[in-house]
Amino acid sequence: MNLRQAATLCVALSICALLIVPGNFPGLSGDARITLAVFALATCAWIGTPIDDTYIALGAGLALTATGVISSDELFGTLGDDTVWLLICAFVLAAAVARTGLAGRAAAFLVGGARTVRQLVHLTTAALVVTAFAVPATSGRAALAMPVFLALAKALSDRKRLVVMLALLFPTVILLSAVATLIGAGAHLITVSVLWEAAGERIGFTEWLMIGLPLAVVSSHLAAEAVLFTTTRREDRGGPVHITAEEIQKHSDKPVTGPLEAAETRCALLLATVVVLWCSEPLHRVPPAVVALIGAIVAASPALGTVRLKDALKTVPWSLLLFMAATMAMGVALADSGAAKWLVGGVPLDLPPWLFLTVVVGVSTMAHLVLQSRSARSSVLVPLVVAAAVGAGVNPVAAALASTAAAGFCHTLPASAKPVTLFAEIPGTPTYTPRDLLRLSAVLAPMTAALVLLFAVAVWPLIGVPLR
């Protein structure tokens, strides 16, 4: 056991010991004491041990059920939540898109038009933002984008700094643009679930799109400029670039030019239809999960589909879904037992809304240094943020969304996020170092935090998410 593990174990056991003594914390019910003890043990295990995050979450959910804090129906019912089904079906659709090679065509079309380094950077950024609608989860988008990066790296092999810059650009934009859609990250679904359970507020695909897409576009392009200026010099940015379709074709087993094949046409039409139906939910009132299920069935159908259902289901991150379900149950326990309300009861909440949100955004931005899992961060932070917001007279939706958006920053260390890890270790290709990440983070952390706060205070109220 190393020092970090020993320290987190001591903290967890100390908290549990304090909660066991009946005389301590007289305003705390028995269920709330158990919930806080389980919550503390799970959080410390996430922080200080190498045990799988899902295993810890399932153990915590089981402990809460066995002690009677939540019922077995509440624990297992989270797996039937419509957001879980939305994510499953979205992965099936993503598998169909990946099988056709549409991503390579889109990359060749966009990147092939770049003639300067800045054009290349922003066209790549725009393409990566769009992938948030086609591929759920940041790790899936990173895997889909890797062949495109390798093609660009090969074409720019004589300009090493530009290759390093692109290696850093891809995971940066993938992580920051995830906030564009509800399916962009598992943390978003956890946030939606907590808001519904704790505050009775329902956020659908369209509402999240209106809130998150503008932030994703602005933050991604600003981050692209930050990457460009922290990793390249003036002479690197000054030279022309020209990426041909032939160079991208070398890294794709599907054609990237020429007429669309029948399967590609069907898949493109299906994806466009699903996205349009998601965005027009207020008109037809069909839930996004049902739309996604219809799309998944068509994508895997023998006549019209491009992928077999059993192959598509292999791409679904079942571990992530179980983690989400278990942490949703933990959120229910925190809210229903009164533990979350008690936790924030001793915190001074007589703050102006903007100052309250500043604290929330600051803590959420830095939380990746302690909790590396994005979903785990939301599982810990969002229930507390919602309870604190209610006590402070702040709109819990604005507070929860600000926390979730700020937690999307996780670029400080190579191990801070899976996309960052993936692009940091590419055999035979120049990539960034931990020093490059720290240099970027010094600029990006305050910039993204300030941007989230600006949107929460000045932009979101204009689209129906007031501060109070």
Side-chain angles (χ1 to χ4, degrees):
M1 181 181 295
N2 59 34
L3 182 61
R4 181 178 181 179
Q5 292 173 343
T8 53
L9 179 62
C10 288
V11 170
L13 293 178
S14 299
I15 294 173
C16 292
L18 289 172
L19 290 168
I20 288 173
V21 178
N24 292 334
F25 319 118
L28 207 56
S29 67
D31 283 353
R33 290 174 185 272
I34 295 171
T35 301
L36 289 176
V38 172
F39 193 72
L41 288 169
T43 302
C44 289
W46 281 329
I47 294 172
T49 70
I51 301 173
D52 184 78
D53 290 343
T54 302
Y55 187 86
I56 295 169
L58 288 174
L62 179 60
L64 291 170
T65 304
T67 52
V69 177
I70 59 175
S71 67
S72 58
D73 288 342
E74 287 175 312
L75 175 64
F76 298 128
T78 53
L79 274 174
D81 191 272
D82 57 353
T83 55
V84 173
W85 278 94
L86 173 62
L87 198 59
I88 292 173
C89 297
F91 269 99
V92 174
L93 285 167
V97 173
R99 185 66 62 92
T100 61
L102 284 173
R105 285 185 181 272
F109 174 76
L110 285 170
V111 177
R115 294 295 177 266
T116 66
V117 173
R118 180 164 276 105
Q119 285 180 355
L120 175 64
V121 166
H122 286 284
L123 285 172
T124 301
T125 298
L128 290 171
V129 172
V130 171
T131 61
F133 292 90
V135 182
T138 54
S139 55
R141 294 168 63 203
L144 182 70
M146 179 60 74
V148 178
F149 166 72
L150 292 175
L152 296 177
K154 185 69 174 178
L156 298 170
S157 57
D158 58 333
R159 302 169 71 174
K160 181 179 176 181
R161 287 185 187 274
L162 291 188
V163 176
V164 172
M165 180 272 295
L166 288 172
L168 195 50
L169 176 71
F170 272 72
T172 297
V173 174
I174 286 170
L175 289 167
L176 292 181
S177 62
V179 74
T181 71
L182 182 59
I183 62 173
H188 301 169
L189 305 180
I190 292 172
T191 298
V192 168
S193 175
V194 171
L195 278 172
W196 173 245
E197 295 290 344
E201 298 282 355
R202 175 74 75 181
I203 298 180
F205 188 93
T206 307
E207 291 83 2
W208 190 289
L209 185 69
M210 292 175 61
I211 295 165
L213 182 58
L215 175 60
V217 172
V218 174
S219 63
S220 295
H221 284 280
L222 286 178
E225 286 292 330
V227 171
L228 190 60
F229 278 97
T230 56
T231 55
T232 62
R233 299 171 180 170
R234 184 184 295 271
E235 55 269 24
D236 299 319
R237 299 189 292 269
V241 296
H242 182 60
I243 311 297
T244 65
E246 289 74 18
E247 288 167 324
I248 295 178
Q249 182 68 73
K250 293 177 183 177
H251 294 269
S252 175
D253 56 355
K254 302 286 185 179
V256 298
T257 57
L260 289 175
E261 296 178 354
E264 291 175 319
T265 302
R266 293 197 305 271
C267 190
L269 289 173
L270 174 62
L271 182 61
T273 302
V274 168
V275 173
V276 168
L277 289 174
W278 277 341
C279 296
S280 58
E281 179 194 355
L283 299 177
H284 53 70
R285 299 295 180 184
V286 180
V290 175
V291 173
L293 181 57
I294 294 171
I297 289 174
V298 174
S301 64
L304 301 175
T306 58
V307 64
R308 293 189 302 175
L309 183 60
K310 67 177 183 178
D311 293 331
L313 290 176
K314 291 177 182 178
T315 68
V316 177
W318 298 105
S319 178
L320 171 63
L321 295 176
L322 289 173
F323 177 88
M324 285 172 48
T327 52
M328 285 176 187
M330 291 173 65
V332 171
L334 278 170
D336 291 352
S337 68
K341 185 177 180 180
W342 180 87
L343 271 178
V344 300
V347 180
L349 297 176
D350 52 341
L351 304 173
W354 67 268
L355 184 55
F356 176 85
L357 285 178
T358 299
V359 174
V360 168
V361 169
V363 171
S364 301
T365 301
M366 294 295 102
H368 72 283
L369 297 175
V370 179
L371 281 168
Q372 293 179 346
S373 167
R374 190 172 187 165
S375 297
R377 291 199 295 278
S378 288
S379 302
V380 172
L381 290 173
V382 173
L384 303 181
V385 167
V386 169
V390 172
V394 176
N395 182 2
V397 175
L401 290 173
S403 174
T404 304
F409 172 80
C410 38
H411 302 68
T412 306
L413 302 171
S416 294
K418 290 178 182 177
V420 179
T421 305
L422 180 63
F423 280 86
E425 302 171 357
I426 307 174
T429 302
T431 186
Y432 47 85
T433 63
R435 185 177 179 181
D436 294 322
L437 282 174
L438 290 174
R439 188 187 302 116
L440 174 64
S441 295
V443 176
L444 203 55
M447 186 185 78
T448 54
L451 193 61
V452 170
L453 186 61
L454 174 65
F455 268 75
V457 172
V459 179
W460 291 346
L462 300 178
I463 54 178
V465 185
L467 286 181
R468 290 186 180 274

